[in-house]
Amino acid sequence: MKRLLPLFTAISLTALASIASAQQNDTVAMMADKIEADVIQWRHHFHQYPELSNREFETAKYVEKYLRGLGLDVTTGVAYTGVVAVLDSGKPGPTIALRADMDALPVPEQNDLPFKSTVKGMLEGNEVPVMHACGHDTHMAMLMGAAKILTEMKGELRGKVKFIFQPAEEGAPAGETGGAEMMVKEGVLKNPDVDVIFGLHINANTDVGKVLYKHGGIMAAVDPFKIIVRGKQAHGAYPWKSVDPITTSAQIIMALQTVVSREIKLVDDAAVVTIGSIHGGNRSNIIPNEVVLVGTIRTLSKEAREHMYEAIPRKAKGIADSMRAEVEVILPLDYSYPITFNDHALMDQVLPTLVRTAGQENVINSKAATGAEDFSFFQQEIPGVYLWIGGKPLDVSEEDSPAHHTPEFFVDDSGMKLGVKLLTNMTLDYMNSAK
């Protein structure tokens, strides 16, 4: 009988842990229900009054006022307009960071909503329409909801929670720095030192109530580049007198596609190379001196990214040499985001929380996306997990749901409650695992 006691004890502890998790789940769900109307109101405010990257002045004031009202230790002006708050339980334990992005896009809203944006902003000296066309308004509202619940549950916490409201995820304006990279450089993951970080993104093409996850690379690295092809100008009627940068550029564009199709092992890694801008010449009968190509690289592994960095200059130079032209490759061009990479061990640890919170049938192991996220700068420093949550109304098909970054972009308010619960439960579960 004595030999069986350790087994009974282990079973009892497992059962108690299961009961505690269920009770926590019920408590968080009840509190999320209670504040859902507030979360929706916050989201509507942010949506109606959006601000561009590095210009989130009023947004930051709104967030700051709310966090101070919760009694949190608040720091402002991080990476220009970022707001960071710390909840200290007063007990030893890990420090967990939760992050939401704050900036909107220069997009004219075409939705007929009572909280529709009619805001104008300035971008590179021009007045532009401004819209939360990627869901950052919902991200802020969800994080504010999680902050409220966790503050009210302070007595049950162990360690600290750092709430990071980040500006300029969409990219700083020309000539400026910003975003997650700048926050990291300014020490946002220090004092107190952060152990892990969690973030999420609402998805207009995923059903409300669903959560998408992936081990490893969930979003691509992004590396813009510029290729300058220099030749010799001549009359269009006498091309033999020229070194033609236009035909050289055309060959370079086609050859760059073979880097992906013939040099990247696509069964292991995905990659994209896109030329988005071509400028050269000004008349039909003049072969110009120069053509400028601007493009982007997207990769989902360190190996593929390194290969693209080597192959693009190689291809461009080889073709330029064969055409008697000169070429200059600038890679990266102005900014560069690493791969958004979910730490394997942390993802394993978080997965049961996702299942318990959303339900097994609503937790989907997704494919990677070739979009990019500067949350990756946090993940370069510490383990992190980034998730997608559904924002598509159930009565709308995926084909009819407008894409992100478009004037028709729309997500349903009801999708935010799951985000609030996930941020809260991931924090609580990680703290409990570190006892």
Side-chain angles (χ1 to χ4, degrees):
M1 183 66 180
K2 289 182 179 179
R3 292 180 181 179
L4 294 177
L5 285 176
L7 176 60
F8 290 147
T9 301
I11 293 172
S12 299
L13 289 175
T14 302
L16 288 172
S18 178
I19 292 169
S21 293
Q23 289 174 340
Q24 173 192 300
N25 215 55
D26 291 344
T27 299
V28 171
M30 179 189 67
M31 297 176 80
D33 287 340
K34 184 178 178 181
I35 66 168
E36 184 179 18
D38 292 334
V39 173
I40 291 172
Q41 180 183 344
W42 300 328
R43 184 261 168 134
H44 289 185
H45 171 84
F46 291 132
H47 192 91
Q48 191 168 5
Y49 303 105
E51 293 177 292
L52 294 172
S53 301
N54 278 0
R55 305 293 184 271
E56 306 94 339
F57 303 114
E58 296 304 317
T59 301
K61 289 178 183 177
Y62 190 95
V63 171
E64 176 194 0
K65 181 179 179 181
Y66 173 76
L67 295 174
R68 290 195 188 281
L70 294 178
L72 301 178
D73 180 14
V74 180
T75 302
T76 60
V78 185
Y80 299 125
T81 56
V83 182
V84 180
V86 176
L87 169 59
D88 188 348
S89 71
K91 289 174 278 188
T95 298
I96 300 160
L98 304 176
R99 174 269 204 170
D101 35 18
M102 304 196 302
D103 54 331
L105 290 157
V107 172
E109 179 154 21
Q110 293 183 7
N111 295 313
D112 186 17
L113 300 171
F115 52 95
K116 173 182 178 178
S117 170
T118 58
V119 169
K120 303 288 185 182
M122 297 301 296
L123 181 64
E124 297 180 6
N126 300 309
E127 187 179 73
V128 295
V130 186
M131 174 192 175
H132 271 296
C134 200
H136 296 188
D137 50 343
T138 69
H139 302 170
M140 289 184 283
M142 288 185 283
L143 186 53
M144 289 166 66
K148 183 174 181 62
I149 294 175
L150 288 166
T151 300
E152 292 182 2
M153 297 180 71
K154 180 178 178 180
E156 301 176 38
L157 306 185
R158 295 176 180 273
K160 301 177 179 68
V161 187
K162 185 174 281 192
F163 304 99
I164 299 174
F165 290 82
Q166 179 209 307
E169 188 281 325
E170 299 290 356
E176 298 181 23
T177 56
E181 183 177 21
M182 187 175 180
M183 285 193 122
V184 170
K185 289 179 178 177
E186 291 187 0
V188 74
L189 300 179
K190 304 293 183 182
N191 192 30
D193 291 349
V194 177
D195 294 286
V196 295
I197 187 166
F198 299 125
L200 48 77
H201 201 304
I202 204 158
N203 187 347
N205 302 117
T206 298
D207 286 347
V208 164
K210 305 288 185 183
V211 54
L212 279 58
Y213 76 95
K214 184 181 180 299
H215 288 77
I218 190 169
M219 296 186 77
V222 54
D223 295 286
F225 64 91
K226 179 187 285 187
I227 299 176
I228 305 169
V229 181
R230 298 184 177 94
K232 180 181 178 183
Q233 188 162 317
H235 195 296
Y238 313 109
W240 52 87
K241 294 184 177 181
S242 75
V243 174
D244 190 343
I246 291 181
T247 54
T248 303
S249 297
Q251 291 187 43
I252 290 173
I253 292 169
M254 297 306 295
L256 292 184
Q257 301 309 310
T258 68
V259 177
V260 174
S261 67
R262 291 298 179 268
E263 298 185 19
I264 299 293
K265 191 177 179 182
L266 294 177
V267 293
D268 295 334
D269 295 308
V272 172
V273 57
T274 294
I275 299 293
S277 173
I278 308 172
H279 291 279
N282 53 28
R283 284 183 61 91
S284 63
N285 61 349
I286 299 175
I287 295 171
N289 273 321
E290 183 177 284
V291 172
V292 177
L293 314 175
V294 179
T296 187
I297 303 166
R298 305 295 171 112
T299 48
L300 285 159
S301 76
K302 177 175 178 288
E303 293 75 19
R305 192 182 194 195
E306 290 174 349
H307 187 93
M308 297 293 271
Y309 264 71
E310 179 276 329
I312 287 179
R314 167 169 49 83
K315 291 279 190 180
K317 185 177 187 307
I319 290 170
D321 287 346
S322 73
M323 298 292 287
R324 299 177 295 130
E326 296 180 357
V327 68
E328 178 184 358
V329 179
I330 304 170
L331 171 63
L333 177 56
D334 43 15
Y335 67 93
S336 179
Y337 289 4
I339 300 162
T340 305
F341 190 91
N342 286 339
D343 180 85
H344 288 278
L346 185 59
M347 188 71 253
D348 284 338
Q349 185 175 343
V350 164
L351 193 51
T353 304
L354 308 188
V355 171
R356 195 184 76 244
T357 305
Q360 180 72 63
E361 70 281 6
N362 294 316
V363 179
I364 301 167
N365 189 358
S366 71
K367 296 181 179 179
T370 50
E373 238 288 350
D374 75 348
F375 186 82
S376 52
F377 285 105
F378 300 123
Q379 291 174 312
Q380 276 196 321
E381 305 297 320
I382 57 173
V385 161
Y386 196 72
L387 305 169
W388 293 93
I389 64 164
K392 181 180 74 63
L394 300 181
D395 60 351
V396 176
S397 69
E398 185 175 341
E399 293 74 21
D400 293 333
S401 182
H404 292 242
H405 289 218
T406 66
E408 301 83 13
F409 172 80
F410 175 81
V411 290
D412 196 283
D413 288 332
S414 63
M416 293 189 289
K417 184 160 63 174
L418 176 58
V420 172
K421 292 191 291 185
L422 285 170
L423 290 170
T424 305
N425 279 331
M426 286 191 294
T427 301
L428 293 169
D429 287 355
Y430 189 86
M431 282 185 170
N432 291 333
S433 72
K435 287 181 181 179

